[in-house]
Amino acid sequence: LNLSVCWLLRQQGFLNGAITVAGLAYGLLGASILITVQTCVFFGCQKAGAACTIAILASTGMCISFFWGVFVFQESLRSISVATLAILVLVLGASLCSVTNSSMPLRWGRRG
């Protein structure tokens, strides 16, 4: 299916240039990352629940995409400090979602 989509995109002119070994290597690496993530999601949903797993998965995917763009595709940043702050807020948000959706015992508030 993926090859047919790539063929169709190439026929319509959306993909151009030669197919290279480096391009194929990036494709294989990306596919292996997706397979690994989907396997982790399957087991994560069973162990931690869907809400916790999705919070972690979404933020992890965004961070990986960010680093992939900066380090592999050499995309420039307007502000390193703002980008760092954004990554930290993303990690903090995922951490808070994970903690609030977990079945950890309460350490603050009422004791029952």
Side-chain angles (χ1 to χ4, degrees):
L1 178 65
N2 288 338
L3 289 177
S4 61
V5 171
C6 289
W7 178 82
L8 181 65
L9 291 173
R10 190 171 289 279
Q11 294 300 319
Q12 298 299 317
F14 293 114
L15 293 176
N16 51 17
I19 298 173
T20 63
V21 174
L24 290 174
Y26 283 133
L28 289 173
L29 179 63
S32 65
I33 290 171
L34 285 175
I35 290 169
T36 304
V37 166
Q38 293 300 324
T39 304
C40 291
V41 167
F42 176 75
F43 290 114
C45 284
Q46 290 180 348
K47 298 289 183 186
C52 179
T53 302
I54 297 304
I56 293 171
L57 174 68
S59 61
T60 302
M62 284 183 235
C63 288
I64 289 172
S65 296
F66 172 78
F67 290 122
W68 191 263
V70 170
F71 295 115
V72 174
F73 296 111
Q74 311 300 316
E75 293 180 3
S76 61
L77 296 174
R78 290 184 189 171
S79 171
I80 293 175
S81 59
V82 172
T84 304
L85 178 65
I87 294 290
L88 289 174
V89 168
L90 185 63
V91 169
L92 178 65
S95 301
L96 290 174
C97 285
S98 299
V99 169
T100 58
N101 288 316
S102 70
S103 59
M104 294 173 49
L106 294 175
R107 298 192 188 273
W108 299 285
R110 286 188 318 184
R111 294 187 183 193

